[in-house]
């Protein structure tokens, strides 16, 4: 009677833990036997070969049922705790790199990737930072982000750290020196444009207290949080950008059409346009939920 019961148990284990789809991975079977010795010998075989790399690789492919079966038939002192599989974070790729917006590829320049990971979409409240991003966005008329970001360091130097107070006081001699700088490659008309925009910012500061207070007022001092899934969903301009652009141009700003203004809004975190599966989306949303800081 005991032998019959043992045979039935072995057959049951074979049906449960060795389905047909595992045959390609495990070309072994639990054969019927009049005793449990065959099961024990199989367990012993697996225990002795547990260090074999090929077997280890195969075990990684086994489902939970098979691992559970091995634990049941192994001696207690040789049982291994089931491996805990840590699922990657929702925004982390299998390679260990964080998932970014689709337009960030392996071929992108390091400066552009750093800009995406550290600046783009982060709410900016300091007038110097806002003036810097406004200026860099304005250069998109002539250059792309990568070309602009590569010159950011030298641009900061020649434009006084993008302090609008300093830039607004620049005279013709300084403008021509900047225009003649071969590292920047900006014609004198573009340099004058940046100086004139700095003067307009100083006018807003006297009127509103700060440029930050003025510009953030358009979004009620809270970033617009979008949840775009695909690059095609991200707009080039919005009605809000149209409104801001019209007022800026009315105040004397130059080269700040709706598309440029929206690029500035994205960079300064007035609108968060990271794709939802980008690791920066949740981080920027968390920063956006902080109380508005008027600096």
């Amino acid at each position: 009677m005991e032998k019959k019961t043992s045979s039935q148990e072995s057959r049951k284990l074979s049906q449960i833990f060795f389905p047909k789809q595992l045959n390609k991975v495990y070309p072994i079977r639990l054969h019927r036997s009049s005793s449990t010795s065959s099961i024990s010998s199989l367990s012993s075989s697996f225990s002795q070969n547990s260090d074999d790399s090929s077997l280890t690789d195969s075990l990684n492919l086994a489902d939970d049922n098979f691992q559970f079966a091995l634990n049941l038939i192994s001696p207690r002192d040789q049982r291994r705790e089931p491996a805990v599989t840590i699922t990657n974070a929702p925004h982390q790729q299998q390679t260990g790199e964080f998932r970014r917006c689709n337009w960030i590829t392996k071929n992108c320049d390091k400066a552009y990737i750093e800009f995406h990971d550290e600046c783009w979409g982060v709410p900016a409240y300091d007038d110097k930072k806002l003036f810097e991003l406004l200026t860099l966005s304005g250069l998109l008329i002539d250059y792309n982000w990568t070309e602009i970001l590569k010159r950011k360091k030298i641009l900061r130097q020649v434009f006084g750290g993008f302090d609008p107070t300093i830039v607004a006081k620049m005279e013709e001699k300084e403008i021509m020196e900047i225009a003649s700088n071969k590292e920047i490659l900006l014609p004198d008309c573009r340099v004058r444009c940046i100086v004139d925009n700095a003067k307009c910012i100083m006018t807003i500061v006297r009127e509103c207290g700060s440029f930050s207070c003025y510009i953030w007022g358009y979004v009620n001092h809270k970033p617009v949080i979008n949840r775009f899934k695909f690059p095609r969903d991200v707009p080039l301009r919005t009605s809000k950008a149209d409104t801001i652009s019209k007022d800026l141009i009315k105040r004397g700003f130059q080269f700040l059409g709706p598309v440029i203004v929206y690029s500035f809004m994205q960079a300064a975190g007035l609108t968060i346009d990271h794709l939802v599966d980008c690791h920066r989306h949740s981080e920027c949303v968390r920063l956006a939920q902080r109380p508005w800081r008027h600096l």
Side-chain angles (χ1 to χ4, degrees):
M1 184 64 181
E2 292 180 358
K3 292 183 178 180
K4 184 177 181 180
T5 302
S6 175
S7 178
Q8 291 175 350
E9 290 177 352
S10 298
R11 190 183 305 110
K12 187 175 181 180
L13 282 172
S14 177
Q15 293 173 353
I16 295 176
F17 299 112
F18 293 92
K20 293 181 179 179
Q21 58 267 31
L22 290 181
N23 289 346
K24 295 180 180 179
V25 180
Y26 295 101
I28 55 176
R29 291 179 179 273
L30 285 178
H31 298 284
R32 287 181 295 176
S33 173
S34 58
S35 68
T36 59
S37 59
S38 61
I39 299 178
S40 300
S41 61
L42 175 64
S43 171
S44 176
S45 175
F46 274 114
S47 300
Q48 293 171 3
N49 295 312
S50 59
D51 293 332
D52 184 75
S53 59
S54 60
L55 179 58
T56 303
D57 293 339
S58 298
L59 285 175
N60 290 334
L61 301 174
D63 59 7
D64 294 338
N65 285 342
F66 187 81
Q67 295 291 346
F68 179 64
L70 289 182
N71 260 350
L72 286 179
I73 62 180
S74 298
R76 183 175 297 275
D77 60 343
Q78 296 181 10
R79 292 183 184 179
R80 294 185 301 174
E81 293 297 326
V84 179
T85 302
I86 301 176
T87 305
N88 286 333
H91 302 304
Q92 193 170 4
Q93 297 177 343
Q94 296 296 331
T95 58
E97 296 181 357
F98 284 107
R99 191 187 304 272
R100 296 181 173 94
C101 295
N102 291 8
W103 51 84
I104 302 296
T105 66
K106 293 182 179 179
N107 296 327
C108 288
D109 189 86
K110 182 180 178 181
Y112 187 42
I113 296 175
E114 289 180 353
F115 178 65
H116 169 274
D117 290 352
E118 300 173 8
C119 178
W120 200 74
V122 176
Y125 302 101
D126 180 68
D127 276 5
K128 293 180 183 179
K129 186 64 176 179
L130 289 169
F131 178 47
E132 175 182 327
L133 294 174
L134 188 69
T135 301
L136 298 182
S137 299
L139 296 179
L140 288 169
I141 296 176
D142 302 309
Y143 307 101
N144 59 43
W145 270 121
T146 299
E147 294 170 331
I148 295 169
L149 294 169
K150 284 183 176 180
R151 301 170 187 163
K152 184 173 65 173
K153 185 176 180 180
I154 185 66
L155 286 170
R156 279 179 177 169
Q157 292 176 357
V158 299
F159 285 111
F162 285 108
D163 186 338
T165 305
I166 297 175
V167 178
K169 296 178 181 179
M170 285 185 173
E171 298 180 353
E172 186 66 19
K173 181 181 178 181
E174 295 172 283
I175 292 175
M176 294 309 297
E177 286 179 355
I178 295 174
S180 62
N181 191 321
K182 295 182 179 180
E183 292 186 67
I184 300 177
L185 296 176
L186 282 180
D188 57 338
C189 62
R190 300 293 281 123
V191 179
R192 286 192 183 91
C193 168
I194 294 173
V195 174
D196 290 341
N197 286 349
K199 293 177 180 179
C200 293
I201 285 181
M202 295 311 301
T203 301
I204 291 178
V205 170
R206 289 190 291 269
E207 178 184 334
C208 303
S210 71
F211 182 66
S212 177
C213 184
Y214 161 80
I215 200 69
W216 278 97
Y218 278 102
V219 291
N220 196 27
H221 306 294
K222 294 180 180 179
V224 178
I225 300 175
N226 295 312
R227 302 185 183 280
F228 299 126
K229 293 184 178 180
F230 307 103
R232 64 175 179 268
D233 298 332
V234 182
L236 289 176
R237 58 190 284 183
T238 63
S239 58
K240 184 71 67 177
D242 291 347
T243 301
I244 297 174
S245 175
K246 288 179 181 178
D247 191 64
L248 289 174
I249 293 174
K250 182 180 178 180
R251 290 174 177 272
F253 285 84
Q254 302 176 47
F255 293 98
L256 291 179
V259 176
I260 295 299
V261 168
Y262 193 68
S263 295
F264 161 70
M265 293 174 66
Q266 291 173 318
L270 278 83
T271 179
I272 297 176
D273 281 0
H274 285 283
L275 302 183
V276 290
D277 62 351
C278 174
H279 78 280
R280 289 295 294 164
H281 184 273
S282 58
E283 294 175 3
C284 288
V285 168
R286 177 176 53 81
L287 294 173
Q289 293 173 344
R290 298 179 303 175
W292 177 69
R293 296 184 302 153
H294 175 202
L295 299 178

